[in-house]
PDB file of all heavy atoms in Angstrom:
ATOM      1  N   ALA V 221     -25.160   3.143  25.291  1.00 96.00           N
ATOM      2  CA  ALA V 221     -24.117   2.763  26.166  1.00 96.00           C
ATOM      3  C   ALA V 221     -24.429   2.723  27.632  1.00 96.00           C
ATOM      4  O   ALA V 221     -24.168   1.906  28.433  1.00 96.00           O
ATOM      5  CB  ALA V 221     -22.754   3.659  25.926  1.00 96.00           C
ATOM      6  N   ALA V 222     -25.157   3.830  27.968  1.00 97.00           N
ATOM      7  CA  ALA V 222     -25.818   3.871  29.362  1.00 97.00           C
ATOM      8  C   ALA V 222     -26.716   2.881  29.506  1.00 97.00           C
ATOM      9  O   ALA V 222     -26.760   2.268  30.823  1.00 97.00           O
ATOM     10  CB  ALA V 222     -26.477   5.280  29.599  1.00 97.00           C
ATOM     11  N   VAL V 223     -27.627   2.464  28.637  1.00 96.00           N
ATOM     12  CA  VAL V 223     -28.588   1.335  28.849  1.00 96.00           C
ATOM     13  C   VAL V 223     -27.874   0.021  29.013  1.00 96.00           C
ATOM     14  O   VAL V 223     -28.090  -0.751  29.788  1.00 96.00           O
ATOM     15  CB  VAL V 223     -29.672   1.316  27.721  1.00 96.00           C
ATOM     16  CG1 VAL V 223     -30.656   0.246  27.940  1.00 96.00           C
ATOM     17  CG2 VAL V 223     -30.202   2.683  27.623  1.00 96.00           C
ATOM     18  N   LEU V 224     -26.896  -0.138  28.060  1.00 96.00           N
ATOM     19  CA  LEU V 224     -25.945  -1.389  28.246  1.00 96.00           C
ATOM     20  C   LEU V 224     -25.326  -1.491  29.528  1.00 96.00           C
ATOM     21  O   LEU V 224     -25.189  -2.591  30.177  1.00 96.00           O
ATOM     22  CB  LEU V 224     -25.084  -1.415  27.062  1.00 96.00           C
ATOM     23  CG  LEU V 224     -24.266  -2.744  26.832  1.00 96.00           C
ATOM     24  CD1 LEU V 224     -24.999  -3.978  26.620  1.00 96.00           C
ATOM     25  CD2 LEU V 224     -23.152  -2.394  25.725  1.00 96.00           C
ATOM     26  N   ALA V 225     -24.775  -0.377  30.012  1.00 97.00           N
ATOM     27  CA  ALA V 225     -24.050  -0.313  31.348  1.00 97.00           C
ATOM     28  C   ALA V 225     -24.986  -0.822  32.441  1.00 97.00           C
ATOM     29  O   ALA V 225     -24.593  -1.529  33.306  1.00 97.00           O
ATOM     30  CB  ALA V 225     -23.469   1.021  31.490  1.00 97.00           C
ATOM     31  N   GLU V 226     -26.207  -0.196  32.367  1.00 97.00           N
ATOM     32  CA  GLU V 226     -27.153  -0.509  33.409  1.00 97.00           C
ATOM     33  C   GLU V 226     -27.499  -2.083  33.300  1.00 97.00           C
ATOM     34  O   GLU V 226     -27.680  -2.747  34.361  1.00 97.00           O
ATOM     35  CB  GLU V 226     -28.485   0.250  33.183  1.00 97.00           C
ATOM     36  CG  GLU V 226     -29.523   0.066  34.111  1.00 97.00           C
ATOM     37  CD  GLU V 226     -29.243   0.347  35.625  1.00 97.00           C
ATOM     38  OE1 GLU V 226     -28.426   1.234  35.867  1.00 97.00           O
ATOM     39  OE2 GLU V 226     -29.857  -0.357  36.444  1.00 97.00           O
ATOM     40  N   TYR V 227     -27.706  -2.559  32.123  1.00 97.00           N
ATOM     41  CA  TYR V 227     -28.130  -3.995  31.879  1.00 97.00           C
ATOM     42  C   TYR V 227     -26.878  -4.921  32.499  1.00 97.00           C
ATOM     43  O   TYR V 227     -27.194  -5.838  33.318  1.00 97.00           O
ATOM     44  CB  TYR V 227     -28.205  -4.258  30.479  1.00 97.00           C
ATOM     45  CG  TYR V 227     -28.280  -5.823  30.149  1.00 97.00           C
ATOM     46  CD1 TYR V 227     -29.805  -6.345  29.989  1.00 97.00           C
ATOM     47  CD2 TYR V 227     -27.337  -6.637  29.930  1.00 97.00           C
ATOM     48  CE1 TYR V 227     -29.951  -7.666  29.682  1.00 97.00           C
ATOM     49  CE2 TYR V 227     -27.549  -7.961  29.578  1.00 97.00           C
ATOM     50  CZ  TYR V 227     -28.835  -8.427  29.468  1.00 97.00           C
ATOM     51  OH  TYR V 227     -29.007  -9.867  29.210  1.00 97.00           O
ATOM     52  N   PHE V 228     -25.667  -4.469  32.223  1.00 97.00           N
ATOM     53  CA  PHE V 228     -24.500  -5.326  32.716  1.00 97.00           C
ATOM     54  C   PHE V 228     -24.413  -5.334  34.305  1.00 97.00           C
ATOM     55  O   PHE V 228     -24.198  -6.267  34.923  1.00 97.00           O
ATOM     56  CB  PHE V 228     -23.145  -4.799  32.142  1.00 97.00           C
ATOM     57  CG  PHE V 228     -22.841  -5.211  30.715  1.00 97.00           C
ATOM     58  CD1 PHE V 228     -21.986  -4.416  30.001  1.00 97.00           C
ATOM     59  CD2 PHE V 228     -23.541  -6.308  30.073  1.00 97.00           C
ATOM     60  CE1 PHE V 228     -21.672  -4.887  28.657  1.00 97.00           C
ATOM     61  CE2 PHE V 228     -23.236  -6.645  28.847  1.00 97.00           C
ATOM     62  CZ  PHE V 228     -22.234  -6.003  28.141  1.00 97.00           C
ATOM     63  N   ALA V 229     -24.853  -4.082  34.879  1.00 98.00           N
ATOM     64  CA  ALA V 229     -24.760  -4.034  36.166  1.00 98.00           C
ATOM     65  C   ALA V 229     -25.829  -4.917  36.780  1.00 98.00           C
ATOM     66  O   ALA V 229     -25.633  -5.563  37.824  1.00 98.00           O
ATOM     67  CB  ALA V 229     -24.899  -2.459  36.636  1.00 98.00           C
ATOM     68  N   ALA V 230     -27.042  -4.684  36.234  1.00 97.00           N
ATOM     69  CA  ALA V 230     -28.203  -5.439  36.850  1.00 97.00           C
ATOM     70  C   ALA V 230     -28.043  -6.826  36.765  1.00 97.00           C
ATOM     71  O   ALA V 230     -28.510  -7.648  37.569  1.00 97.00           O
ATOM     72  CB  ALA V 230     -29.569  -5.008  36.055  1.00 97.00           C
ATOM     73  N   HIS V 231     -27.262  -7.399  35.715  1.00 97.00           N
ATOM     74  CA  HIS V 231     -27.000  -8.874  35.519  1.00 97.00           C
ATOM     75  C   HIS V 231     -25.739  -9.321  36.051  1.00 97.00           C
ATOM     76  O   HIS V 231     -25.379 -10.397  35.743  1.00 97.00           O
ATOM     77  CB  HIS V 231     -27.302  -9.238  34.075  1.00 97.00           C
ATOM     78  CG  HIS V 231     -28.612  -9.077  33.494  1.00 97.00           C
ATOM     79  ND1 HIS V 231     -29.169  -7.830  33.187  1.00 97.00           N
ATOM     80  CD2 HIS V 231     -29.544  -9.971  33.328  1.00 97.00           C
ATOM     81  CE1 HIS V 231     -30.430  -8.029  32.818  1.00 97.00           C
ATOM     82  NE2 HIS V 231     -30.697  -9.310  32.827  1.00 97.00           N
ATOM     83  N   ASN V 232     -25.170  -8.449  36.874  1.00 96.00           N
ATOM     84  CA  ASN V 232     -23.867  -8.794  37.538  1.00 96.00           C
ATOM     85  C   ASN V 232     -22.843  -9.383  36.701  1.00 96.00           C
ATOM     86  O   ASN V 232     -22.183 -10.404  36.948  1.00 96.00           O
ATOM     87  CB  ASN V 232     -24.115  -9.795  38.685  1.00 96.00           C
ATOM     88  CG  ASN V 232     -24.756  -9.000  39.839  1.00 96.00           C
ATOM     89  OD1 ASN V 232     -24.353  -7.893  40.163  1.00 96.00           O
ATOM     90  ND2 ASN V 232     -25.781  -9.710  40.406  1.00 96.00           N
ATOM     91  N   THR V 233     -22.672  -8.908  35.465  1.00 96.00           N
ATOM     92  CA  THR V 233     -21.811  -9.571  34.375  1.00 96.00           C
ATOM     93  C   THR V 233     -20.357  -9.119  34.765  1.00 96.00           C
ATOM     94  O   THR V 233     -19.458  -9.744  34.333  1.00 96.00           O
ATOM     95  CB  THR V 233     -22.140  -8.986  33.057  1.00 96.00           C
ATOM     96  OG1 THR V 233     -21.995  -7.573  33.029  1.00 96.00           O
ATOM     97  CG2 THR V 233     -23.586  -9.398  32.472  1.00 96.00           C
ATOM     98  N   GLY V 234     -20.197  -7.965  35.474  1.00 95.00           N
ATOM     99  CA  GLY V 234     -18.816  -7.491  35.767  1.00 95.00           C
ATOM    100  C   GLY V 234     -18.173  -6.758  34.575  1.00 95.00           C
ATOM    101  O   GLY V 234     -17.079  -6.282  34.618  1.00 95.00           O
ATOM    102  N   VAL V 235     -19.002  -6.610  33.558  1.00 98.00           N
ATOM    103  CA  VAL V 235     -18.501  -5.919  32.354  1.00 98.00           C
ATOM    104  C   VAL V 235     -18.796  -4.558  32.511  1.00 98.00           C
ATOM    105  O   VAL V 235     -19.903  -4.061  32.791  1.00 98.00           O
ATOM    106  CB  VAL V 235     -18.958  -6.508  31.063  1.00 98.00           C
ATOM    107  CG1 VAL V 235     -18.494  -5.789  29.856  1.00 98.00           C
ATOM    108  CG2 VAL V 235     -18.776  -7.916  30.971  1.00 98.00           C
ATOM    109  N   GLN V 236     -17.878  -3.603  32.238  1.00 98.00           N
ATOM    110  CA  GLN V 236     -18.046  -2.020  32.338  1.00 98.00           C
ATOM    111  C   GLN V 236     -18.329  -1.465  30.952  1.00 98.00           C
ATOM    112  O   GLN V 236     -17.843  -2.187  29.921  1.00 98.00           O
ATOM    113  CB  GLN V 236     -16.757  -1.449  33.020  1.00 98.00           C
ATOM    114  CG  GLN V 236     -16.510  -1.973  34.343  1.00 98.00           C
ATOM    115  CD  GLN V 236     -15.029  -1.571  34.691  1.00 98.00           C
ATOM    116  OE1 GLN V 236     -14.262  -2.609  34.961  1.00 98.00           O
ATOM    117  NE2 GLN V 236     -14.553  -0.362  34.511  1.00 98.00           N
ATOM    118  N   VAL V 237     -19.045  -0.462  30.853  1.00 98.00           N
ATOM    119  CA  VAL V 237     -19.099   0.364  29.648  1.00 98.00           C
ATOM    120  C   VAL V 237     -18.758   1.740  29.769  1.00 98.00           C
ATOM    121  O   VAL V 237     -19.113   2.441  30.792  1.00 98.00           O
ATOM    122  CB  VAL V 237     -20.554   0.243  29.215  1.00 98.00           C
ATOM    123  CG1 VAL V 237     -20.755   0.969  27.771  1.00 98.00           C
ATOM    124  CG2 VAL V 237     -21.091  -1.215  29.164  1.00 98.00           C
ATOM    125  N   ILE V 238     -17.872   2.162  28.862  1.00 98.00           N
ATOM    126  CA  ILE V 238     -17.390   3.633  28.832  1.00 98.00           C
ATOM    127  C   ILE V 238     -17.811   4.216  27.441  1.00 98.00           C
ATOM    128  O   ILE V 238     -17.537   3.487  26.399  1.00 98.00           O
ATOM    129  CB  ILE V 238     -15.865   3.631  29.058  1.00 98.00           C
ATOM    130  CG1 ILE V 238     -15.526   3.001  30.500  1.00 98.00           C
ATOM    131  CG2 ILE V 238     -15.398   5.067  28.967  1.00 98.00           C
ATOM    132  CD1 ILE V 238     -15.983   3.732  31.656  1.00 98.00           C
ATOM    133  N   GLY V 239     -18.291   5.452  27.493  1.00 98.00           N
ATOM    134  CA  GLY V 239     -18.537   6.091  26.097  1.00 98.00           C
ATOM    135  C   GLY V 239     -17.472   7.057  25.865  1.00 98.00           C
ATOM    136  O   GLY V 239     -16.815   7.661  26.791  1.00 98.00           O
ATOM    137  N   CYS V 240     -17.338   7.477  24.582  1.00 98.00           N
ATOM    138  CA  CYS V 240     -16.505   8.613  24.138  1.00 98.00           C
ATOM    139  C   CYS V 240     -17.280   9.427  23.174  1.00 98.00           C
ATOM    140  O   CYS V 240     -17.999   8.995  22.289  1.00 98.00           O
ATOM    141  CB  CYS V 240     -15.323   8.083  23.364  1.00 98.00           C
ATOM    142  SG  CYS V 240     -14.125   7.316  24.584  1.00 98.00           S
ATOM    143  N   PRO V 241     -17.292  10.880  23.389  1.00 98.00           N
ATOM    144  CA  PRO V 241     -18.213  11.837  22.691  1.00 98.00           C
ATOM    145  C   PRO V 241     -17.640  12.030  21.211  1.00 98.00           C
ATOM    146  O   PRO V 241     -16.877  12.822  21.008  1.00 98.00           O
ATOM    147  CB  PRO V 241     -18.211  13.091  23.383  1.00 98.00           C
ATOM    148  CG  PRO V 241     -16.851  13.031  24.193  1.00 98.00           C
ATOM    149  CD  PRO V 241     -16.569  11.526  24.230  1.00 98.00           C
ATOM    150  N   LYS V 242     -18.355  11.412  20.286  1.00 98.00           N
ATOM    151  CA  LYS V 242     -17.986  11.619  18.817  1.00 98.00           C
ATOM    152  C   LYS V 242     -19.114  12.221  18.139  1.00 98.00           C
ATOM    153  O   LYS V 242     -20.281  11.938  18.224  1.00 98.00           O
ATOM    154  CB  LYS V 242     -17.797  10.342  18.228  1.00 98.00           C
ATOM    155  CG  LYS V 242     -17.439  10.216  16.738  1.00 98.00           C
ATOM    156  CD  LYS V 242     -18.292   9.263  16.020  1.00 98.00           C
ATOM    157  CE  LYS V 242     -19.875   9.623  15.926  1.00 98.00           C
ATOM    158  NZ  LYS V 242     -20.757   8.900  14.998  1.00 98.00           N
ATOM    159  N   THR V 243     -18.934  13.060  17.121  1.00 97.00           N
ATOM    160  CA  THR V 243     -19.693  13.515  16.008  1.00 97.00           C
ATOM    161  C   THR V 243     -19.285  14.879  15.396  1.00 97.00           C
ATOM    162  O   THR V 243     -18.939  15.856  16.177  1.00 97.00           O
ATOM    163  CB  THR V 243     -21.233  13.700  16.283  1.00 97.00           C
ATOM    164  OG1 THR V 243     -21.940  14.133  15.124  1.00 97.00           O
ATOM    165  CG2 THR V 243     -21.659  14.575  17.419  1.00 97.00           C
ATOM    166  N   ILE V 244     -19.240  14.887  14.139  1.00 97.00           N
ATOM    167  CA  ILE V 244     -18.851  16.141  13.436  1.00 97.00           C
ATOM    168  C   ILE V 244     -19.882  17.222  13.769  1.00 97.00           C
ATOM    169  O   ILE V 244     -19.718  18.456  13.506  1.00 97.00           O
ATOM    170  CB  ILE V 244     -18.569  16.042  11.993  1.00 97.00           C
ATOM    171  CG1 ILE V 244     -19.905  15.571  11.252  1.00 97.00           C
ATOM    172  CG2 ILE V 244     -17.351  15.026  11.644  1.00 97.00           C
ATOM    173  CD1 ILE V 244     -19.880  15.894   9.749  1.00 97.00           C
ATOM    174  N   ASP V 245     -21.138  16.717  14.069  1.00 96.00           N
ATOM    175  CA  ASP V 245     -22.205  17.743  14.095  1.00 96.00           C
ATOM    176  C   ASP V 245     -22.110  18.658  15.262  1.00 96.00           C
ATOM    177  O   ASP V 245     -22.884  19.670  15.327  1.00 96.00           O
ATOM    178  CB  ASP V 245     -23.553  17.004  14.275  1.00 96.00           C
ATOM    179  CG  ASP V 245     -23.793  16.146  12.984  1.00 96.00           C
ATOM    180  OD1 ASP V 245     -23.177  16.121  12.037  1.00 96.00           O
ATOM    181  OD2 ASP V 245     -24.762  15.210  13.070  1.00 96.00           O
ATOM    182  N   GLY V 246     -21.314  18.381  16.277  1.00 96.00           N
ATOM    183  CA  GLY V 246     -21.095  19.224  17.408  1.00 96.00           C
ATOM    184  C   GLY V 246     -22.402  19.358  18.369  1.00 96.00           C
ATOM    185  O   GLY V 246     -22.505  20.109  19.217  1.00 96.00           O
ATOM    186  N   ASP V 247     -23.311  18.323  18.218  1.00 95.00           N
ATOM    187  CA  ASP V 247     -24.539  18.409  19.013  1.00 95.00           C
ATOM    188  C   ASP V 247     -24.602  17.622  20.291  1.00 95.00           C
ATOM    189  O   ASP V 247     -25.564  17.617  20.944  1.00 95.00           O
ATOM    190  CB  ASP V 247     -25.779  18.134  18.127  1.00 95.00           C
ATOM    191  CG  ASP V 247     -25.718  16.815  17.474  1.00 95.00           C
ATOM    192  OD1 ASP V 247     -24.796  16.090  17.730  1.00 95.00           O
ATOM    193  OD2 ASP V 247     -26.659  16.564  16.684  1.00 95.00           O
ATOM    194  N   LEU V 248     -23.461  16.983  20.444  1.00 96.00           N
ATOM    195  CA  LEU V 248     -23.263  16.222  21.713  1.00 96.00           C
ATOM    196  C   LEU V 248     -22.316  17.082  22.634  1.00 96.00           C
ATOM    197  O   LEU V 248     -21.068  17.037  22.571  1.00 96.00           O
ATOM    198  CB  LEU V 248     -22.635  14.826  21.475  1.00 96.00           C
ATOM    199  CG  LEU V 248     -22.291  14.012  22.777  1.00 96.00           C
ATOM    200  CD1 LEU V 248     -23.359  13.909  23.753  1.00 96.00           C
ATOM    201  CD2 LEU V 248     -21.796  12.564  22.376  1.00 96.00           C
ATOM    202  N   LYS V 249     -23.007  18.031  23.270  1.00 94.00           N
ATOM    203  CA  LYS V 249     -22.241  18.927  24.186  1.00 94.00           C
ATOM    204  C   LYS V 249     -23.173  19.350  25.243  1.00 94.00           C
ATOM    205  O   LYS V 249     -24.321  19.461  25.054  1.00 94.00           O
ATOM    206  CB  LYS V 249     -21.498  20.023  23.457  1.00 94.00           C
ATOM    207  CG  LYS V 249     -22.377  21.128  22.956  1.00 94.00           C
ATOM    208  CD  LYS V 249     -21.517  22.212  22.412  1.00 94.00           C
ATOM    209  CE  LYS V 249     -22.237  23.279  21.592  1.00 94.00           C
ATOM    210  NZ  LYS V 249     -21.407  24.317  21.190  1.00 94.00           N
ATOM    211  N   ASN V 250     -22.631  19.758  26.355  1.00 93.00           N
ATOM    212  CA  ASN V 250     -23.327  20.258  27.502  1.00 93.00           C
ATOM    213  C   ASN V 250     -22.376  20.860  28.426  1.00 93.00           C
ATOM    214  O   ASN V 250     -21.269  21.075  28.134  1.00 93.00           O
ATOM    215  CB  ASN V 250     -24.190  19.103  28.109  1.00 93.00           C
ATOM    216  CG  ASN V 250     -23.283  17.876  28.358  1.00 93.00           C
ATOM    217  OD1 ASN V 250     -22.272  17.945  28.886  1.00 93.00           O
ATOM    218  ND2 ASN V 250     -23.756  16.762  27.822  1.00 93.00           N
ATOM    219  N   GLU V 251     -22.837  21.162  29.670  1.00 89.00           N
ATOM    220  CA  GLU V 251     -21.953  21.858  30.575  1.00 89.00           C
ATOM    221  C   GLU V 251     -20.700  20.994  30.906  1.00 89.00           C
ATOM    222  O   GLU V 251     -19.688  21.522  31.423  1.00 89.00           O
ATOM    223  CB  GLU V 251     -22.790  22.162  31.923  1.00 89.00           C
ATOM    224  CG  GLU V 251     -23.269  20.982  32.686  1.00 89.00           C
ATOM    225  CD  GLU V 251     -23.889  21.367  33.939  1.00 89.00           C
ATOM    226  OE1 GLU V 251     -23.993  22.515  34.278  1.00 89.00           O
ATOM    227  OE2 GLU V 251     -24.179  20.409  34.743  1.00 89.00           O
ATOM    228  N   ASP V 252     -20.721  19.768  30.604  1.00 91.00           N
ATOM    229  CA  ASP V 252     -19.576  18.797  30.855  1.00 91.00           C
ATOM    230  C   ASP V 252     -18.708  18.624  29.601  1.00 91.00           C
ATOM    231  O   ASP V 252     -17.593  18.598  29.706  1.00 91.00           O
ATOM    232  CB  ASP V 252     -19.986  17.533  31.502  1.00 91.00           C
ATOM    233  CG  ASP V 252     -20.577  17.723  32.853  1.00 91.00           C
ATOM    234  OD1 ASP V 252     -19.831  18.004  33.721  1.00 91.00           O
ATOM    235  OD2 ASP V 252     -21.822  17.673  33.128  1.00 91.00           O
ATOM    236  N   ILE V 253     -19.430  18.270  28.622  1.00 95.00           N
ATOM    237  CA  ILE V 253     -18.683  17.946  27.340  1.00 95.00           C
ATOM    238  C   ILE V 253     -18.695  19.192  26.527  1.00 95.00           C
ATOM    239  O   ILE V 253     -19.568  19.730  25.904  1.00 95.00           O
ATOM    240  CB  ILE V 253     -19.526  16.803  26.550  1.00 95.00           C
ATOM    241  CG1 ILE V 253     -19.609  15.627  27.418  1.00 95.00           C
ATOM    242  CG2 ILE V 253     -18.761  16.473  25.307  1.00 95.00           C
ATOM    243  CD1 ILE V 253     -18.352  14.921  27.912  1.00 95.00           C
ATOM    244  N   GLU V 254     -17.482  19.771  26.485  1.00 97.00           N
ATOM    245  CA  GLU V 254     -17.244  21.056  25.727  1.00 97.00           C
ATOM    246  C   GLU V 254     -17.384  20.977  24.204  1.00 97.00           C
ATOM    247  O   GLU V 254     -17.835  21.914  23.555  1.00 97.00           O
ATOM    248  CB  GLU V 254     -15.930  21.685  26.107  1.00 97.00           C
ATOM    249  CG  GLU V 254     -15.830  22.150  27.640  1.00 97.00           C
ATOM    250  CD  GLU V 254     -14.483  22.684  28.058  1.00 97.00           C
ATOM    251  OE1 GLU V 254     -13.592  22.798  27.259  1.00 97.00           O
ATOM    252  OE2 GLU V 254     -14.333  22.658  29.328  1.00 97.00           O
ATOM    253  N   CYS V 255     -17.083  19.877  23.713  1.00 96.00           N
ATOM    254  CA  CYS V 255     -17.252  19.613  22.298  1.00 96.00           C
ATOM    255  C   CYS V 255     -16.954  18.013  22.017  1.00 96.00           C
ATOM    256  O   CYS V 255     -16.261  17.392  22.738  1.00 96.00           O
ATOM    257  CB  CYS V 255     -16.484  20.500  21.421  1.00 96.00           C
ATOM    258  SG  CYS V 255     -14.747  20.040  21.155  1.00 96.00           S
ATOM    259  N   SER V 256     -17.824  17.685  20.870  1.00 98.00           N
ATOM    260  CA  SER V 256     -17.558  16.220  20.461  1.00 98.00           C
ATOM    261  C   SER V 256     -16.270  16.283  19.653  1.00 98.00           C
ATOM    262  O   SER V 256     -15.985  17.256  18.849  1.00 98.00           O
ATOM    263  CB  SER V 256     -18.806  15.766  19.819  1.00 98.00           C
ATOM    264  OG  SER V 256     -19.196  16.673  18.742  1.00 98.00           O
ATOM    265  N   PHE V 257     -15.653  15.166  19.551  1.00 98.00           N
ATOM    266  CA  PHE V 257     -14.482  15.129  18.688  1.00 98.00           C
ATOM    267  C   PHE V 257     -14.855  15.150  17.134  1.00 98.00           C
ATOM    268  O   PHE V 257     -15.887  14.603  16.837  1.00 98.00           O
ATOM    269  CB  PHE V 257     -13.477  14.001  18.964  1.00 98.00           C
ATOM    270  CG  PHE V 257     -13.774  12.590  18.613  1.00 98.00           C
ATOM    271  CD1 PHE V 257     -13.651  12.249  17.273  1.00 98.00           C
ATOM    272  CD2 PHE V 257     -14.203  11.622  19.529  1.00 98.00           C
ATOM    273  CE1 PHE V 257     -13.866  10.851  16.847  1.00 98.00           C
ATOM    274  CE2 PHE V 257     -14.502  10.435  19.094  1.00 98.00           C
ATOM    275  CZ  PHE V 257     -14.276   9.959  17.838  1.00 98.00           C
TER     276      PHE V 257
END
Side-chain angles (χ1 to χ4, degrees):
V223 183
L224 181 64
E226 178 63 30
Y227 176 93
F228 282 162
H231 290 76
N232 287 318
T233 59
V235 183
Q236 301 157 237
V237 182
I238 300 295
C240 287
K242 171 235 74 167
T243 178
I244 62 157
D245 298 349
D247 56 3
L248 173 48
K249 68 171 176 179
N250 46 53
E251 58 175 14
D252 292 291
I253 303 301
E254 292 175 9
C255 74
S256 54
F257 79 75

